[in-house]
Amino acid sequence: MWPDRRLIDLFKTEFPIVLAPMAGVTDQDLAIAVAEGGGLGSLACAMVSAEKAREQVNILRQRISAPVNMNFFCHKPVELTPEAEARWKQRLAGYYAELGLDPAAPVSFANRAPFDAAFCEVVEELKPEIVSFHFGLPEPALLRRVQAAGCLVISSATTVKEAVWLEQHGVDAVIAQGAEAGGHRGMFLTDKIAEQPGTFALVPQVVDAVKVPVIAAGGIADGRGIAAAFALGAAGVQIGSAYLRCPESRVSAAGRAALAEGRDDSTVITNVMTGRPARGVQNRLMREVGPISADAPPFPHAANALGPLKAAAEKQGRVDFTNLWAGQAIALGREVPAAELTRDLAKSALARMKALAG
Ligand SMILES: Cc1cc2nc3c(=O)[nH]c(=O)nc-3n(C[C@H](O)[C@H](O)[C@H](O)COP(=O)(O)O)c2cc1C
C-alpha cells in the first residue's frame, strides 16, 4: 500500500517511519515503543557512554525482536581555548550574578562525544541493523568497520551537496533534514545557517540528486506530512518532535508544559546552547544573547558554562537556559503512547495518500 517500499524493504520494518534519535531526552523505552508500533526504533548515543549504549541495546533486544538504529554524532572535536571560554563566561556573567552563582566554580557537564573506537567496538559486538550518523560520517577506517559488521549506514544531509557527498561515501539511505527540524542541524559541508533549505524544497532536490532512498525529516508530524513527503519522492520519514510528548520520552515536566504550549513560531535556530546551530523552543538566553552569537564557543563547549544556569533556573521552575530542542511542527505533537502514535501516523498517511489518489 505504500507507494515506495524501498525503505521498508531495506530496514525490514512494517512502516517507513523512523523515530528520530534524540539525545538527552530519550532512551530505549521510546525506541521499543516505536518498534512495537511498526516503525524503526532509534537509540541516540551521542550523550551516553559506550557502556550505556550497550546496555540500552541489550534491554531493547530482550524486550523486542525488531531492527534497531544506533545513532552517533561525528563532529571533529575542537579544543576550547581559554580566550573563548573567558569571552563566553563574560557574556553570561550577568546571569551568574542574578542567580547567585560563582562563575569560577568548576562545572560538570554532559559531554557530546563523537563516534570513536569504543563506540565502534559496541557496534561490532551488537551489530545493530542500522547505524545513523549526524554531522557527516566518521573517519573511513571506522566507517568500514561499521559496514563490515553488516550494519546499514544512514546520515543526515541539509543540502543537496551533502546528500551527494554521503552517497559517494557509501551510505545506504540519506536523511534529508529540512530547516524546520528540531535539534541540531546535521550540516557538515557548510556553516551558512541562513542558506539552509526547508523540507519541502530540499527533499525533491535530494531525490533528484541521489539514487539511494531518501528519508524526509523536519516538520513532519502527522499523516498529511508523511503523505507530502512521499509525494515529494521520499521513501520514508524520520520524525522527532511529534514523539516528544509521548509518555516514553524523558522530557522533563517543565519541558512538556512548554511543548504543550508550542506554536508554529515557538522555535528558533540558535547556536547559543551548544555552539552548533540547532532548533529549539525559544528561551530567555536565545532571546537575549542569540539566537546566533559570535560569543558562543565551538560545539559542544557552549553548553558547559550554561550547566549551572540551567540547573539553578530549573529549580525555580523556569526553562530560561534549558535547551528544549524541537521543530516547527511541535503543536501537532500529541500526548499518546508512542506505539499508538506510530500506528496512527501510518494509518492516517495511507488514508491521505489513498484519498489523494482518488
Ligand atoms: C530533542 C531532539 C534531539 C535530537 N537529537 C538528535 C540526535 O541525537 N541525533 C540525530 O541524528 N538527530 C537528532 N535530532 C534531529 C532529528 O534526527 C531530526 O532531524 C528531527 O527531529 C526531525 O524534525 P522534527 O523534529 O520536526 O520531526 C534531534 C531532534 C530533536 C527534536
Side-chain angles (χ1 to χ4, degrees):
M1 283 199 294
W2 292 92
D4 186 327
R5 293 193 52 90
R6 284 180 302 157
L7 206 73
I8 295 175
D9 292 341
L10 189 65
F11 290 171
K12 303 192 171 47
T13 49
E14 186 181 354
F15 304 130
I17 297 175
V18 180
L19 165 67
M22 294 188 278
V25 288
T26 60
D27 60 20
Q28 71 280 346
D29 287 353
L30 188 60
I32 290 167
V34 169
E36 280 170 344
L40 176 64
S42 303
L43 294 169
C45 304
M47 292 176 75
V48 298
S49 64
E51 260 315 302
K52 190 81 194 161
R54 176 187 286 112
E55 186 187 309
Q56 293 194 351
V57 176
N58 284 334
I59 296 173
L60 183 140
R61 294 266 199 236
Q62 278 161 18
R63 296 225 338 238
I64 188 166
S65 164
V68 59
N69 170 29
M70 289 181 83
N71 170 261
F72 303 93
F73 284 177
C74 38
H75 54 288
K76 308 247 172 321
V78 180
E79 287 286 311
L80 175 61
T81 63
E83 297 76 36
E85 186 177 16
R87 196 168 62 236
W88 191 223
K89 281 257 173 95
Q90 181 56 37
R91 190 71 186 82
L92 302 175
Y95 300 118
Y96 270 75
E98 185 186 313
L99 287 161
L101 297 167
D102 174 8
V107 294
S108 66
F109 52 89
N111 196 22
R112 290 162 177 86
F115 187 70
D116 60 7
F119 277 133
C120 198
E121 277 167 29
V122 175
V123 165
E124 289 172 317
E125 175 193 326
L126 301 175
K127 301 190 189 338
E129 287 72 10
I130 295 117
V131 171
S132 75
F133 293 107
H134 214 43
F135 313 136
L137 289 171
E139 60 175 84
L142 287 179
L143 181 62
R144 275 196 297 275
R145 283 171 59 184
V146 173
Q147 290 166 323
C151 309
L152 295 167
V153 173
I154 63 176
S155 182
S156 303
T158 67
T159 61
V160 168
K161 195 171 166 190
E162 288 176 348
V164 170
W165 187 96
L166 290 174
E167 182 175 55
Q168 284 168 352
H169 287 76
V171 298
D172 297 285
V174 167
I175 305 154
Q177 189 199 32
E180 299 92 320
H184 285 99
R185 308 291 309 136
M187 52 210 294
F188 61 95
L189 295 180
T190 175
D191 59 4
K192 298 199 169 56
I193 194 65
E195 295 178 1
Q196 290 277 282
T199 307
F200 234 84
L202 179 66
V203 170
Q205 295 185 72
V206 169
V207 167
D208 287 347
V210 300
K211 291 194 182 60
V212 293
V214 174
I215 302 165
I220 301 168
D222 62 16
R224 294 170 296 184
I226 299 172
F230 275 82
L232 296 172
V237 293
Q238 176 159 298
I239 296 180
S241 300
Y243 282 105
L244 286 172
R245 293 176 62 206
C246 293
E248 298 91 345
S249 96
R250 296 287 167 257
V251 176
S252 66
R256 282 175 192 275
L259 289 171
E261 285 170 13
R263 299 184 319 226
D264 56 335
D265 59 354
S266 297
T267 68
V268 289
I269 293 180
T270 181
N271 72 337
V272 298
M273 303 306 303
T274 64
R276 250 184 189 268
R279 183 178 289 283
V281 175
Q282 181 151 219
N283 62 24
R284 181 177 168 200
L285 185 79
M286 296 175 196
R287 252 191 319 275
E288 295 178 0
V289 176
I292 301 292
S293 168
D295 290 334
F299 181 85
H301 305 297
N304 306 359
L306 294 175
L309 296 172
K310 175 175 183 259
E314 283 182 358
K315 262 194 208 137
Q316 300 175 4
R318 292 184 285 117
V319 288
D320 290 356
F321 306 97
T322 302
N323 52 338
L324 187 56
W325 299 142
Q328 290 181 329
I330 35 169
L332 298 174
R334 288 182 293 136
E335 212 181 317
V336 289
E340 185 185 327
L341 177 59
T342 306
R343 282 190 287 269
D344 273 5
L345 287 168
K347 194 171 152 199
S348 56
L350 288 169
R352 172 72 47 165
M353 286 190 273
K354 197 169 167 199
L356 288 171

